[in-house]
Amino acid sequence: MSSQTVPPAPGQSEFDQATVVRDRGDGRTFDIDIDGGWTVGPKPNGGYLLATAARAAGAGVLAAGTEHVHPLASTAHYLRAPDAGPAEVSVEVLRLGRGASQARATLIQGGEPCVDTVFTLGTLPRPEDAPSPWWTGPDPFEVAPYDDCMRIPAVPPGGEFTVSIMDRSEVRLDPSVLGFAVGEPSGRGDLRGWISFADGRPADPLSLLFFLDALPPATFELARTGWVPTLSLTTYVRAWPAPGPLRVRQYVQSVDQNRIDEVCELWDSAGRLVGQATQLAGIRIPDGVEPPSP
Amino acid sequence: MSSQTVPPAPGQSEFDQATVVRDRGDGRTFDIDIDGGWTVGPKPNGGYLLATAARAAGAGVLAAGTEHVHPLASTAHYLRAPDAGPAEVSVEVLRLGRGASQARATLIQGGEPCVDTVFTLGTLPRPEDAPSPWWTGPDPFEVAPYDDCMRIPAVPPGGEFTVSIMDRSEVRLDPSVLGFAVGEPSGRGDLRGWISFADGRPADPLSLLFFLDALPPATFELARTGWVPTLSLTTYVRAWPAPGPLRVRQYVQSVDQNRIDEVCELWDSAGRLVGQATQLAGIRIPDGVEPPSP
């Protein structure tokens, strides 16, 4: 976020508004309105849908009597892409525990299940109350300073469609991974940069589910290919992030038989690994597009 | 596997026998018998349960009319640990597609859901028929030659309980990551070695779900701590493995607020990344146990 931004009042941010869930009264069925401002091309972003489902799951376990509203582990399988507009989330509490609870949430539109999610939910203390990590292996990855990174626009020059999530978030990428933007991919499928909400909303556990699926595909830096439809997305929220933009990295390990994996990491301003994700996605390699040389 | 082993006839291996699913006739409910020989201490191994659920899910989509029997992406949330003995798997087909299908499978024992799983299923060609990967980033990690690695026993000297999966599989670890076995962890949470079935059964897509959760916790190499109960496990099967033992690596990135993540990779004898997993697990750090110095 730019230093001039005044953060929105709690609950009034674009993210809070777009992920509102309305309980029909049974603590199990929640009406939602899929917001057309959180899309990649014509379709809603997968991380945004996951965050909306997580909010419903959190409300579901809260209604069932626990305080476990933070999505520690989430998995989503994408069945069919919903459209912007009304939909519902059906929540089934699977287990209520002392330290964590589990719930399934299915996003349904027009009677058709669109996203199948399962959550392990718990309660994360705010950064000022959380103990330091007991052990962390690697240091945070290297990335250029925030002001040296370049913001990704919602409509890139010559782009074929609008990626409206880039107006909701502020994704700034390291200049060394921006070759794709000028048609010269680096040959390394490894994006690094910074991410925050464009309207200044502070990051919290829920928002990490969106941030973990908001970068362009890391395959953009391998060759000229398109956006990749997610089949399965898994996220872990390890801690409530300290204030400030998050350091983000997304990389691919293998492109094999029209599928890719992508790993995403989020580190906060205090140098803590706060979010992790992995996804399996489909990819179409256009005829004649060759992989980079090793 | 040792070179003397004669592989079991198809369907007769310990793994095939232990993961049998018996359709009650509706293509949706499958009786299983959780085998007491696939345990860590008193409880069944999570990867073994996931593989059994995957077999039921594959049978479910096969009954529904597709050939998508291979678990490309799997997620499991562990609700409560079942005991060895009779149980059932309830399968719900979520979507039948051209290239892939999706199904949910719930492992139930005594009327209680124990493991909630969701699969993206497809059809993987055998290694001799599969195109080479389009691109792979990193080379396979370094590991000592097979014969220089040490087999993990089911009952370690002075061990407190039996890890019977070590009799079903042959897990051989690099000597450089075996400090934990003599009470001197290396301080790096990164295990490397080789894995195969003890009875010589060849690896196939289904078996990777077990292999991806069969190593000791990578935290053993950080400090004296116990086995870690998995909360959420995600696996990707990228290709049908070529014959021979698989190269396996499992590492941890962060131990934070009594939870750890672990990443597991499997590479086959042809140098292909064939399996990937990530898990979030609980950990109890005993009083007085300090992390290794950075």
Side-chain angles (χ1 to χ4, degrees), chain B residues 55-97:
Chain B
R55 230 176 127 171
V61 298
L62 199 63
T66 84
E67 300 290 323
H68 299 145
V69 296
H70 297 137
L72 306 180
S74 310
T75 61
H77 286 250
Y78 295 90
L79 309 175
R80 48 183 72 75
D83 296 312
E88 63 182 78
V89 181
S90 172
V91 174
E92 179 190 357
V93 174
L94 299 172
R95 193 179 71 93
L96 295 173

Side-chain angles (χ1 to χ4, degrees), chain A residues 1-8 146-147 151 170 172 196-201 245:
Chain A
M1 73 183 153
S2 73
S3 52
Q4 287 76 27
T5 308
V6 178
Y146 185 80
D147 288 335
R151 184 166 181 189
E170 187 159 344
R172 287 177 173 258
S196 56
F197 283 117
D199 67 2
R201 180 196 191 276

Side-chain angles (χ1 to χ4, degrees), chain B residues 128-178:
Chain B
E128 58 273 23
D129 299 323
S132 294
W134 187 79
W135 181 85
T136 305
D139 287 328
F141 50 87
E142 294 296 316
V143 60
Y146 186 80
D147 288 335
D148 294 346
C149 291
M150 315 277 269
R151 185 166 180 189
I152 303 293
V155 186
E160 290 169 17
F161 56 70
T162 301
V163 182
S164 74
I165 53 170
M166 298 304 171
D167 282 337
R168 305 285 90 67
S169 57
E170 187 158 344
V171 173
R172 287 177 173 258
L173 292 185
D174 190 301
S176 70
V177 303
L178 279 170

